[in-house]
Amino acid sequence: MNLFDHLSEYADSDYYPFHMPGHKRNSECGLPEGVYRYDITEIEGFDNLHSPETIIKDAEQRAAKLYDSEETYFLVNGSTAGILSAISAIAERIGKVAERSSNWKREDWHGNRRLIIARNCHKAVYHAAFLNHMDLYYVYPEIYEDFDVARAIKANDIESTIKKIISEEKVDAKMAGRLIAGVVITSPTYEGITSDVSGIAEMVHGYGIPLIVDQAHGAHFGIHPKFPENAVREKADLVIHSVHKTLPAPTQTALLHKNGILVDSESVRKYLRIYQSSSPSYILMAGIDRAVQVMEQEGYQRLDRIMDMRDAFLKRVENCQYIRICPFTEPGKLVISVKGSSMTGQMLHNLLLEKYHLQMEMAAGSYVIAILSMMDEEEGFNRLSTALLEIDREILRKHKEGKNKFETELEGFSGELEGVREEKLFSFFTIRPKVEIGIWEAYTSINREIELVDADGRIAADFINLYPPGIPLLVPGEAIDQQTITIVKHYLQNGYTVQGIRGNRIKVIRA
């Protein structure tokens, strides 16, 4: 019996709730009947997420079996809680490694907390580094220039960074595991680009360094041969899966998998207790358990069906002249590019939303992203292909008329979009800001807000990022230059959501 079955049995019983939550499972709360029916707290017989022994433990073990993980933990505070816990655990590991050495000193607990990360990691990785006073070393991905999409992270680039740290400290390679807390990569990326996790894991393990993989967008991996393998089977030490992103589960649900001997299990559990709610939602936990069950019983067949519908969709849109589908992504993503046309990604996003009632996952400079899951229907693929074919024909017509701006004259489109400007829409990694101050010092510094146009030469005191995807354009402690200002202004002017900018003002460290 899974967790949801237990909740259903309890909901049908005559037990009266003299306990939290305050809605008391009463339909008179104002929301539709049944919304609160399964919402309980840690009462007798329902186990405890922070010390599971019975039904929650069984549910976590089912998930571990599905992904071939040694240990799996339910996350009700999203992948963010998993990332914070994972990085905190490896930061603590450095202190424990130092303590076992013959020349250990108390300050070693807080020293040498170096973290190597892919620069396209989610902002939660940076927040974890901040909370743990870590020094960040970046590995930048190369770019697929035709699509403005970041390529995979290479093992050689990570190893070069490891060797650089070893060289700076003038120590033997055997000491790398004492100098570097860990390596963090994102695979797949928001756009669906996967890295060679197994190759990276083998390399970093040779130095005694653990690997964390933010695989939030890959909870469906490892089930169907046309999809990539999951990072657990590829020997990553800690893997985070956002169950809600690609599986049939409620928003805010995720999993953290722990494997191998480089990371201490008790440290992981300790930080999960810190970063997760002490009153976890049973609806969310039941949602995770149910999604695991769907994957076990129906995952292969459902993903197979999605592949058939995806292939038919690609066939329908292959003759578009200005709209292209990026061919390098894992099958669960559609990166729909308008690069080289007179549209921006935001304009395409708005047009699909307003005229065709198709809500994309996100808009970037020259593309939009659609997320596919095993619960998609053929209707959605048909509507999207019809819309893209119509939009492509309209772009072609405008170009044939010699116009250099895409104007929203399609019948029924209620919005009015501004024509694309002359400036280039940059990819995330066009610039590589210089790190002037560590993230802890910068993010806790005395700061003030100034006009963005006056920020040249100053040091950022806050994160600047588009959301989604939540990858920082600027990190606290990085230098702001005129090129960065131009890029941020361009995103603002073209209707993108830029976090960290308020009324064209930016936080900088007070000089």
Side-chain angles (χ1 to χ4, degrees), residues 155-282:
N156 288 343
D157 291 339
I158 296 174
E159 187 167 25
S160 295
T161 305
I162 294 172
K163 289 180 177 178
K164 176 185 176 185
I165 294 171
I166 293 171
S167 176
E168 289 174 349
E169 294 297 318
K170 298 180 173 60
V171 298
D172 188 88
K174 295 178 181 178
M175 292 290 291
R178 295 186 182 185
L179 295 172
I180 301 166
V183 172
V184 186
I185 65 170
T186 302
S187 179
T189 62
Y190 217 115
E191 290 80 8
I193 303 300
T194 57
S195 294
D196 177 15
V197 173
S198 60
I200 294 171
E202 182 179 5
M203 183 274 294
V204 299
H205 290 164
Y207 289 94
I209 299 170
L211 174 65
I212 297 174
V213 178
D214 176 1
Q215 199 161 77
H217 285 262
H220 58 297
F221 283 10
I223 301 297
H224 192 285
K226 291 187 178 179
F227 289 78
E229 185 56 274
N230 75 62
V232 175
R233 297 195 188 110
E234 293 186 305
K235 307 304 182 184
D237 300 272
L238 293 164
V239 178
I240 299 95
H241 282 135
S242 270
V243 185
H244 73 94
K245 283 184 169 61
T246 58
L247 302 189
T251 298
Q252 206 170 304
T253 55
L255 296 168
L256 172 61
H257 309 277
K258 184 267 173 188
N259 301 279
I261 61 173
L262 290 177
V263 183
D264 179 58
S265 296
E266 183 49 43
S267 291
V268 174
R269 288 191 287 267
K270 177 174 76 175
Y271 287 105
L272 285 172
R273 291 192 291 270
I274 291 172
Y275 292 120
Q276 293 221 89
S277 170
S278 60
S279 300
S281 164
Y282 275 80

Side-chain angles (χ1 to χ4, degrees), residues 350-351 353-355 357 408 410-417:
N350 292 350
L351 186 53
L353 177 64
E354 294 291 339
K355 177 174 173 58
H357 293 186
T408 57
L410 292 175
E411 184 179 355
F413 178 45
S414 60
E416 184 173 339
L417 295 174

Side-chain angles (χ1 to χ4, degrees), residues 116-121 126 136-143 150-158 161 184-185 195 427-435 471-475 478-479:
I116 299 173
I117 73 169
R119 187 59 174 80
N120 57 340
C121 282
Y126 297 83
L136 292 175
Y137 291 76
Y138 297 139
V139 177
Y140 279 86
E142 296 178 356
I143 303 297
R151 292 175 180 262
I153 295 295
K154 297 178 180 178
N156 288 343
D157 291 339
I158 296 174
T161 305
V184 186
I185 65 170
S195 294
S427 67
F428 283 109
F429 310 109
T430 301
I431 58 169
R432 299 187 178 188
K434 182 181 179 182
V435 178
I471 300 168
L473 296 168
L474 272 174
V475 175
E478 291 182 340

